[in-house]
Amino acid sequence: RNHKRHTTCRNDITMLNAPLLALFESLIPSDEEKLKQKQLLTLLENLVRKEWPNARLFLYGSCANSFGFPKSDVDVCLQMDLGDIEKSEVLLKLAKIFESDNLQNVQALTRARVPIVKLMDPVTGISCDICINNVLAVVNTKLLHDYARIDVRLRQLAFIVKHWAKSRGVNVTYQGTLSSYAYVLMCIHFLQQRRPSILPCLQRMQVTYYITVEDVECAYFDQVEKLQNFGAQNRESVAQLVWGFFHYWAYCHDYANDVISVRTGSMISKRGKDWTRRVGNDRHLICIEDPFEVSHDLGRVVDKHSIRVLREEFERAAEIMQYDPNPCVSLFEPY
Ligand code: CTP
Ligand code: MG
């Protein structure tokens, strides 16, 4: 691959700033939508507490990490002391409770990698997944939310990348492409890498937030209100960043050797993590380290076929940003 091929642009990238910002604004959920989500959470909380008074419900995922679209599903984590009760038993019980309260499409998926109950609230039309004691997901949701509060360009970039990934069909983990969570981590890492950097590495700073979850230590600086001017030295606009992001993943990333790591704020080596060979179904063709579960590669879902699809999509996006007469339309063309 010729890394130098596209370093000069024909499009004036700054012209794309206004339309991309307008797109970002249009993707932000309204207060009304946020309120509906809160109401659903309260409803569920009341139902759950009747059966298990000490249980607590937490929102996680896109409705709580500030990277959610208006129509995103609500991800809920039920935290409770299970004692000797099986998770699957609780899920089946939950499903019964929800069904008798007229919630729709109730389904207990007890054999999934992350077992859940699915439901749809007919009043608000919101769909919801409920898992049990998935505390790490709640904690990584807080990390993403805290990063988003440091520099508005993270949300701008990530919304556009997520919108692109959904439009182009490369946000489907069971088809071997990446999760929304993975894309947001890619955006955070990309902004940590800019010079001057736009985001710090919170896990390398003084620890102000600490929790241990299933032997995993989660520690980082969470007083992000003190970092409001962190990225001010870097004046890059969202259009430059979107272009830079696609250009990086199309032409610059070393897929054979590098792992992107939000935890360290830098690139680390596949060799060091022993991610150089296929183990079981984990092929490590694109490596994205989870910030807390460091043995977890968010790219492990990607296979021989889907890595090609992904890289072609990154290249297509980078080309469009530079040469297409109507980039803001072509970029998001349904596949
Ligand atoms: N998650 C995780 N590990 C993964 C995938 C997801 O811990 N391999 C957790 C993260 O807390 C993430 C949440 O599950 O925020 C939801 O994941 P996902 O559906 O990928 O992201 P959302 O932000 O909910 O995006 P979407 O708007 O597409 O629903
Ligand atoms: Mg979600």
Side-chain angles (χ1 to χ4, degrees), residues 196-211:
S197 45
I198 294 178
L199 290 178
C201 174
L202 294 175
Q203 289 171 274
R204 282 253 158 120
M205 297 169 64
Q206 182 202 348
V207 174
T208 57
Y209 171 82
Y210 180 86
I211 181 172

Side-chain angles (χ1 to χ4, degrees), residues 61-62 73 75:
S62 61
D73 290 1
D75 300 304

Side-chain angles (χ1 to χ4, degrees), residues 110-128:
T110 54
R111 286 151 188 255
R113 190 180 66 84
V114 179
I116 53 170
V117 184
K118 289 176 140 335
L119 60 86
M120 200 273 282
D121 172 24
V123 181
T124 56
I126 299 177
S127 296
C128 175

Side-chain angles (χ1 to χ4, degrees), residues 95-285:
K96 255 199 197 127
I97 295 172
F98 295 147
E99 252 171 355
S100 54
D101 199 68
N102 278 330
L103 290 157
Q104 303 293 300
N105 309 345
V106 178
Q107 237 184 322
L109 306 180
T110 54
R111 286 151 188 255
R113 190 180 66 84
V114 179
I116 53 170
V117 184
K118 289 176 140 335
L119 60 86
M120 200 273 282
D121 172 24
V123 181
T124 56
I126 299 177
S127 296
C128 175
D129 291 350
I130 302 169
C131 65
I132 299 176
N133 292 342
N134 191 1
V135 182
L136 271 174
V138 178
V139 177
N140 67 36
T141 293
K142 173 173 159 57
L143 180 73
L144 265 49
H145 186 255
D146 285 334
Y147 269 115
R149 287 160 62 207
I150 300 171
D151 195 295
V152 66
R153 287 172 290 184
L154 171 58
R155 272 184 96 207
Q156 294 170 344
L157 173 65
F159 268 68
I160 290 161
V161 168
K162 266 182 74 173
H163 181 57
W164 163 83
K166 286 180 194 291
S167 312
R168 299 298 300 167
V170 288
N171 179 208
V172 189
T173 46
Y174 66 82
Q175 289 176 359
T177 55
L178 299 169
S179 66
S180 297
Y181 177 57
Y183 282 113
V184 175
L185 291 174
M186 289 157 80
C187 291
I188 294 173
H189 187 258
F190 176 74
L191 298 183
Q192 287 175 329
Q193 294 289 299
R194 299 315 280 172
R195 291 296 173 263
S197 45
I198 294 178
L199 290 178
C201 174
L202 294 175
Q203 289 171 274
R204 282 253 158 120
M205 297 169 64
Q206 182 202 348
V207 174
T208 57
Y209 171 82
Y210 180 86
I211 181 172
T212 309
V213 184
E214 298 152 21
D215 296 335
V216 180
E217 292 186 359
C218 309
Y220 69 94
F221 182 76
D222 76 337
Q223 298 174 2
V224 288
E225 60 285 350
K226 296 184 179 153
L227 300 172
Q228 289 310 301
N229 289 317
F230 183 89
Q233 295 288 316
N234 183 316
R235 307 292 296 271
E236 284 176 295
S237 63
V238 65
Q240 283 170 301
L241 294 170
V242 171
W243 174 76
F245 180 88
F246 288 127
H247 185 269
Y248 172 76
W249 285 101
Y251 306 115
C252 307
H253 182 69
D254 183 349
Y255 287 79
N257 297 302
D258 285 347
V259 176
I260 65 154
S261 163
V262 165
R263 171 182 61 100
T264 60
S266 56
M267 215 63 80
I268 58 181
S269 81
K270 279 169 79 162
R271 193 168 294 280
K273 298 201 65 106
D274 201 19
W275 282 356
T276 47
R277 60 210 162 77
R278 175 173 173 174
V279 177
N281 261 337
D282 295 7
R283 296 172 179 84
H284 305 299
L285 300 174

Side-chain angles (χ1 to χ4, degrees), residues 44-71:
L44 297 177
E45 205 147 36
N46 291 336
L47 289 174
V48 168
R49 289 253 178 92
K50 272 185 208 158
E51 183 71 29
W52 298 283
N54 293 324
R56 292 186 65 190
L57 293 192
F58 294 92
L59 287 176
Y60 72 100
S62 61
C63 57
N65 65 18
S66 78
F67 296 99
F69 290 164
K71 294 282 167 292

